[in-house]
Amino acid sequence: MPRILMKGNEAIAEAALRAGATNYFCYPITPQTEVAEYLAHRMPEVGGVFLQAESEIAVGNILFGAASTGKRVFTSSSSPGISLMQEAISYMAGAHLPCVIVNIMRGGPGLGGILPAQSDYFQATKGGGHGDYRLLVLAPSTIQEAVDLTMQAFYLADKYRNPVMVIGDGMIGQMMEPVEFPEKYEEPPLPPKDWACTGARGREPHIIKSLFLDPLALEKNNLLLYQKYEKMKAEEVRFELYKTKTENKILIVSYGTMARICQTAIDELETESISVGLFRPITLFPYPEKELYAEAARKNIKTVLVIEMSIGQMVEDVERVVRGIKPIKFFGRTGGVVPSPEEAKEQIKELLKKEAGTRKRKTRKG
Amino acid sequence: MEDSKIIFSRPTALKPTVTHYCPGCTHGVIHRLVAEVLDELNLREKTLGVAPVGCSVFAYNYINTDFLEAPHGRAPALATGFKRLRPDMIVFTYQGDGDLASIGMGEIVHAANRGEKFTVIFVNNGIYGMTGGQMAPTTLEGQITTTSPKGRNVAEVGMPIRICELLSSLVTPAYLERVAVHTPQHIIRAKRAVRKAFTYQTQNRCFSLVEFLSTCPTNWGLTPGESVRWVEENTLKYYPLGCFKDPDKEVKTDGTV
Ligand SMILES: Cc1ncc(C[n+]2csc(CCOP(=O)(O)OP(=O)(O)O)c2C)c(N)n1
Ligand code: SF4
């Protein structure tokens, strides 16, 4: 298929349709409303279901009802709207229901702003709603990757019978880039959805629920969830390395479009003969723990530098993984301010200068 | 023996179990009416129920159809999502008055206004049963509950909400009827309303809601017999029975067919 120029939000919408998700529910919020606007005219063409509901609380719960049919369903929103969906997300996780939720993040807390941010990392990866559950979280850094991951998100949701979140900062939604859709979308076979509610004809009724008043029964359900998350950790971890070399002294960890800004900084530093590598998690849950550990443990790496569009959220996962083996530094801008390549370069040069300073002192002493 | 025929039995849409409802609670009667109608219209095998949060959360242990268990108040949203994707199926929600008229007010009003083609079984017992007898938006003026120990003070918390009247102000066509189940005559009339609601759904006509004036002897602090008198003397005075909206102009709108 030819490459076409598309806005991120519209590309995500089209990708979902092509993965067979022709059921979409929404409530308008900047900076992702184009998903809804695109689907409002596109959905009738493919004979799907499009509904603008009265709130994100309703959207989340409509998604819950729709997912119970066994068909592919999704929604998109931005930070404040995602907060309102947490009730339904927790219930769907507890009831083992697949669905896809796209969060095009804006600055928070509160009403915050409408500019790009990565400040919903905690909410996406550490629970968000109540209870012992996780989402599988995919973080694209280009529009093409947003397309690819959105399509895969539906497969993963079905594979694990768990909500999957595609998370991008505002830029992923608003940027225009050339994208290519696969000629024919293919995915590995999935088990039949024999759990769906289709009417109790010739079988016992199917009951989709998350209430277990007996603590042992609830624990059993939570252990079932836990086993799924362990399987995700074993099978779904995704990440990308950029210019990681033996001689690098600094390893940057960054995700989403922030990682691309870091790539620009890395390319520019290369022209000044400064070599820096980047570790980009693509799955935020499951987090690429072993892989990050291996990169950070490389002999020459003196510092791990985490750069985010937040006041420091993913850095806590990096600390969890790397703590004790290498020093960790954090740089971030928040509230919708996007760190520039210049700022990233400055951080790196500063670190290298300090590092050279300590080395000199050490050699003098020695 | 050849002349003998079964004239009364358990509907197939009702599971052969004992319910957890208190003596004198009319949730059980309402379950049975729904089950009888599902049987009579031959709908059981293509029906989805949506259970609320409230005493009837376990409706799926008794009513023999596929079921979803909704978050508190959100049953109409779940029903919307399901029915939009499966318009060929029959969908009903079963909701208490705390569930529907308090936390779920937004969802019920918008589902009704969109004209979603599902049926709501709304059980108004004027109190929060499951959590132990707190004030509901439907609690009567002066009625004592654990959170209105001196009686509902309408100057502070407003008058009880009449859901049928409120929803009937929406312009979208709907079938809305209020019934009672504290006497056999009322039960017979109530069943007609349930039948009409599901019939409209099978015809894909409109949103339908039947409001039941129900009892909660346990939290009202009354015996089952006293509860029947309470409905007669208090509940019925504030909540008039009858049909509040009907898409079919040919049918009489006083609850009779
Ligand atoms: C979000 C949320 N808030 C509060 C509760 C606690 N809760 C459980 S049942 C209930 C009230 C149910 O009352 P009603 O809908 O009148 O039904 P009844 O039990 O009287 O049949 C409440 C407040 C809950 N489960 N979820
Ligand atoms: S607490 Fe009230 S509503 Fe609940 S089962 Fe008992 S009588 Fe019925």
Side-chain angles (χ1 to χ4, degrees):
Chain A
M1 267 196 76
R3 278 152 74 83
I4 42 174
L5 195 63
M6 265 185 120
K7 198 172 193 172
N9 282 332
E10 298 181 346
I12 287 170
E14 185 62 32
L17 293 187
R18 288 174 189 237
T22 53
N23 305 289
Y24 172 79
F25 312 97
C26 62
Y27 188 83
I29 184 168
T30 309
Q32 66 71 53
T33 305
E34 293 86 357
V35 181
E37 289 170 342
Y38 182 85
L39 290 171
H41 73 80
R42 190 74 175 90
M43 203 59 102
E45 290 173 11
V46 300
V49 174
F50 171 94
L51 180 64
Q52 176 178 331
E54 67 270 24
S55 71
E56 290 89 347
I57 295 180
V59 168
N61 286 291
I62 291 173
L63 201 63
F64 180 170
S68 308
T69 63
K71 300 184 188 187
R72 286 190 167 174
V73 302
F74 75 114
T75 183
S76 61
S77 186
S78 181
S79 313
I82 299 291
S83 290
L84 281 189
M85 291 180 194
Q86 294 304 327
E87 173 188 71
I89 292 173
S90 162
Y91 276 73
M92 284 189 278
H96 303 268
L97 283 177
C99 68
V100 172
I101 300 139
V102 179
N103 181 6
I104 301 298
M105 289 178 279
R106 55 189 251 178
L111 200 48
I114 57 168
L115 292 177
Q118 294 181 318
S119 42
D120 301 347
Y121 182 93
F122 285 151
Q123 187 193 53
T125 62
K126 309 292 175 195
H130 60 285
D132 263 337
Y133 79 94
R134 298 283 194 161
L135 303 180
L136 201 156
V137 185
L138 303 167
S141 76
T142 66
I143 308 302
Q144 182 64 55
E145 196 179 25
V147 164
D148 299 341
L149 292 179
T150 299
M151 296 179 92
Q152 290 166 32
F154 290 97
Y155 167 76
L156 292 170
D158 282 342
K159 177 175 173 185
Y160 291 96
R161 286 181 60 188
N162 201 71
V164 172
M165 181 171 279
V166 178
I167 198 160
D169 54 78
M171 277 182 284
I172 288 289
Q174 295 300 318
M175 269 188 309
M176 286 186 89
E177 282 184 343
V179 289
E180 195 176 347
F181 293 94
E183 202 71 60
K184 193 167 161 273
Y185 178 63
E186 278 171 30
E187 58 185 28
L190 285 162
K193 293 182 171 177
D194 51 11
W195 48 266
C197 285
T198 52
R201 179 170 302 138
R203 61 157 171 77
E204 285 300 301
H206 288 174
I207 296 161
I208 294 181
K209 62 168 196 150
S210 60
L211 176 68
F212 301 92
L213 287 180
D214 170 4
L216 288 176
L218 180 54
E219 186 181 54
K220 194 171 152 210
N221 191 52
N222 289 353
L223 288 173
L224 225 78
L225 294 175
Y226 174 77
Q227 281 161 16
K228 295 200 290 193
Y229 307 144
E230 289 301 299
K231 191 169 150 81
M232 288 177 195
K233 285 182 190 172
E235 295 180 17
E236 310 304 341
V237 165
R238 286 162 214 207
F239 65 99
E240 189 185 60
L241 299 177
Y242 186 72
K243 298 194 175 166
T244 48
K245 299 182 205 133
T246 329
E247 63 266 31
N248 290 355
K249 292 197 176 72
I250 292 176
L251 177 69
I252 298 179
V253 187
S254 192
Y255 71 99
T257 44
M258 191 60 243
R260 287 173 78 181
I261 296 166
C262 292
Q263 285 180 6
T264 307
I266 289 169
D267 292 347
E268 288 176 12
L269 285 172
E270 214 173 25
T271 64
E272 302 174 37
S273 303
I274 300 172
S275 135
V276 177
L278 168 75
F279 186 96
R280 178 171 74 89
I282 297 172
T283 48
L284 302 184
F285 184 89
Y287 200 74
E289 295 167 3
K290 287 196 285 293
E291 297 77 2
L292 175 59
Y293 184 91
E295 285 304 316
R298 280 171 179 257
K299 202 162 113 251
N300 288 332
I301 297 290
K302 299 288 182 250
T303 309
V304 175
L305 172 63
V306 182
I307 304 186
E308 294 178 64
M309 285 184 234
S310 84
I311 213 151
Q313 299 197 9
M314 181 183 71
V315 65
E316 293 194 6
D317 273 334
V318 177
E319 280 168 353
R320 191 167 56 79
V321 172
V322 174
R323 200 202 320 257
I325 58 164
K326 294 293 159 71
I328 297 155
K329 286 276 179 295
F330 172 77
F331 177 68
R333 299 293 303 268
T334 172
V337 184
V338 179
S340 64
E342 285 65 39
E343 283 176 295
K345 282 194 305 193
E346 220 172 276
Q347 293 295 319
I348 292 161
K349 285 182 175 172
E350 198 67 28
L351 280 176
L352 287 171
K353 221 194 292 168
K354 271 196 204 136
E355 206 270 313
T358 48
R359 214 171 0 155
K360 231 185 256 161
R361 259 179 275 132
K362 265 189 204 153
T363 24
R364 242 183 253 144
K365 258 194 242 153
Chain B
M1 280 308 280
E2 270 139 49
D3 298 336
S4 67
K5 89 178 202 249
I6 296 168
I7 55 164
F8 188 82
S9 66
R10 183 186 289 276
T12 59
L14 212 54
K15 294 180 185 175
T17 38
V18 177
T19 75
H20 71 291
Y21 299 116
C22 310
C25 176
T26 41
H27 265 308
V29 176
I30 299 163
H31 280 24
R32 180 167 179 118
L33 292 184
V34 172
E36 283 181 1
V37 168
L38 291 180
D39 270 16
E40 287 164 22
L41 300 179
N42 198 20
L43 300 176
R44 189 191 74 84
E45 292 184 341
K46 57 171 189 169
T47 293
L48 175 89
V50 187
V53 176
C55 279
S56 49
V57 59
F58 291 126
Y60 48 72
N61 288 345
Y62 313 128
I63 299 176
N64 196 14
T65 64
D66 278 5
F67 249 96
L68 307 181
E69 177 194 83
H72 198 16
R74 317 289 179 229
L78 271 74
T80 297
F82 193 93
K83 182 82 186 192
R84 290 257 171 169
L85 270 59
R86 291 298 305 264
D88 55 319
M89 282 180 67
I90 295 297
V91 177
F92 74 93
T93 71
Y94 189 107
Q95 302 178 257
D97 47 329
D99 194 79
L100 182 143
S102 190
I103 195 166
M105 184 60 108
E107 285 72 25
I108 192 64
V109 169
H110 285 278
N113 192 56
R114 287 191 300 262
E116 299 293 346
K117 310 292 184 294
F118 61 80
T119 298
V120 177
I121 304 296
F122 171 40
V123 182
N124 177 3
N125 58 12
I127 205 158
Y128 283 29
M130 191 190 213
T131 42
Q134 297 77 26
M135 184 177 67
T138 44
T139 297
L140 295 173
E141 183 173 1
Q143 189 178 342
I144 289 168
T145 71
T146 60
T147 51
S148 59
K150 293 189 175 139
R152 182 188 182 115
N153 179 354
V154 297
E156 263 178 28
V157 299
M159 292 295 286
I161 299 177
R162 293 178 173 134
I163 285 294
C164 279
E165 287 83 337
L166 188 144
L167 293 181
S168 68
S169 74
L170 301 172
V171 183
T172 309
Y175 170 61
L176 307 170
E177 175 141 1
R178 183 181 291 125
V179 299
V181 283
H182 62 296
T183 71
Q185 292 87 336
H186 283 98
I187 292 174
I188 290 165
R189 256 179 265 154
K191 184 169 168 187
R192 282 193 207 125
V194 175
R195 199 182 160 94
K196 201 148 133 190
F198 278 100
T199 303
Y200 280 142
Q201 186 179 168
T202 59
Q203 296 165 348
N204 207 25
R205 287 286 290 281
C206 60
F207 172 85
S208 51
L209 177 145
V210 181
E211 173 175 348
F212 289 82
L213 299 181
S214 191
T215 56
C216 183
T218 303
N219 291 302
W220 289 356
L222 301 174
T223 65
E226 287 166 350
S227 296
V228 168
R229 274 193 297 285
W230 171 272
V231 170
E232 199 68 53
E233 288 162 15
N234 299 286
T235 321
L236 282 173
K237 298 253 157 63
Y238 187 78
Y239 294 108
L241 301 182
C243 182
F244 292 82
K245 212 175 172 118
D246 194 319
D248 196 341
K249 296 285 184 290
E250 301 302 308
V251 177
K252 280 182 272 172
T253 56
D254 61 355
T256 57
V257 183

